[in-house]
Amino acid sequence: PKRVRRWFIPPPSEADRRPILTPDYPRVQCETALSFLDLVDVFVFGNLRTHGVPLQTLRKVYKRLQSDFKQKHPFAHNRLATDGSEVFLRVADKEGKEQLIEVLTRQMVFPDIIAPFLKQLEYDPDTHLARKWHIAEGVLLNPAIALGKPVVDGAFVKTEVLAAAYHANQKDAEAVARWYNVSPEDVLTAVRFEADLAA
């Protein structure tokens, strides 16, 4: 959270630096409020940083993509691809075959270099922006369901609700599954996800 906060609001010691990302919403009670697309930008940005892409490169890529896509959230766009160290745009050649172009140098690369973390996102066919995020195995973030809270995929019950019921009832996954009309495995998926969040 501390690192992500710095991307949106530089600390006082770096007050002369511009924020890297700009949230969709105004601050709420002195806290930064993020939209679903803000979170997707953070997710992609964070993965690229973890794989060693320099911050200055990411700043340039983000700005270039905003211009290319004419879109505030370029990292949430389905034309984006990466090999974990560089960022590419998916484009079609004259024969309609997909190619990748490195964002900053505009050099062509082979289209089979796509990092697995982007496969967690599902895109809207009209806007080409992310609309669902498979944030963990069996867990989905969808702004249209449960106000964007994590839900068990397919069951659409909030993970926090199932996990709380599980712990409040002597860890009886079968009983909780009956009450919420889900499978015991759905309950355990929610419990694992919430435990990972708390860790």
Side-chain angles (χ1 to χ4, degrees):
K2 186 177 179 183
R3 181 172 68 161
V4 169
R5 197 172 289 116
R6 290 181 63 179
W7 295 341
F8 287 96
I9 304 168
S13 60
E14 301 173 15
D16 56 327
R17 292 184 100 177
R18 285 175 313 166
I20 297 167
L21 304 172
T22 308
D24 284 334
Y25 302 131
R27 288 169 67 86
V28 177
Q29 296 179 348
C30 299
E31 288 293 330
T32 302
L34 303 181
S35 71
F36 175 75
L37 292 177
D38 289 333
L39 285 175
V40 172
D41 274 350
V42 165
F43 168 63
V44 175
F45 197 95
N47 271 284
L48 290 169
R49 284 294 292 134
T50 299
H51 283 84
V53 180
L55 197 57
Q56 282 304 102
T57 300
L58 281 176
R59 278 182 183 273
K60 290 176 187 173
V61 166
Y62 195 76
K63 192 170 182 181
R64 171 72 64 87
L65 288 175
Q66 282 180 318
S67 173
D68 287 349
F69 294 158
K70 295 179 176 41
Q71 169 57 243
K72 183 182 175 191
H73 297 284
F75 284 176
H77 202 282
N78 71 348
R79 285 180 56 204
L80 183 70
T82 183
D83 64 355
S85 61
E86 295 177 296
V87 182
F88 307 99
L89 280 178
R90 293 185 182 100
V91 295
D93 64 15
K94 290 177 184 175
E95 288 83 40
K97 292 174 72 176
E98 185 180 87
Q99 299 292 326
L100 293 182
I101 296 178
E102 201 278 323
V103 170
L104 295 179
T105 65
R106 298 301 195 193
Q107 291 181 337
M108 272 305 195
V109 294
F110 295 104
D112 56 351
I113 319 172
I114 297 174
F117 66 78
L118 286 179
K119 293 178 183 174
Q120 293 176 253
L121 301 172
E122 285 184 37
Y123 298 91
D124 185 292
D126 297 322
T127 66
H128 305 288
L129 292 174
R131 65 176 177 183
K132 296 178 185 176
W133 178 4
H134 297 273
I135 193 167
E137 188 172 344
V139 179
L140 178 70
L141 278 188
N142 181 342
I145 299 171
L147 300 175
K149 294 272 192 179
V151 296
V152 174
D153 200 0
F156 307 123
V157 180
K158 289 192 281 188
T159 55
E160 63 184 358
V161 169
L162 292 175
Y166 173 83
H167 289 296
N169 291 280
Q170 291 79 45
K171 300 183 178 179
D172 188 341
E174 299 276 344
V176 174
R178 283 194 308 275
W179 300 332
Y180 288 94
N181 198 26
V182 298
S183 72
E185 187 49 46
D186 288 338
V187 175
L188 295 176
T189 294
V191 169
R192 283 191 296 270
F193 177 74
E194 290 294 324
D196 286 346
L197 275 188

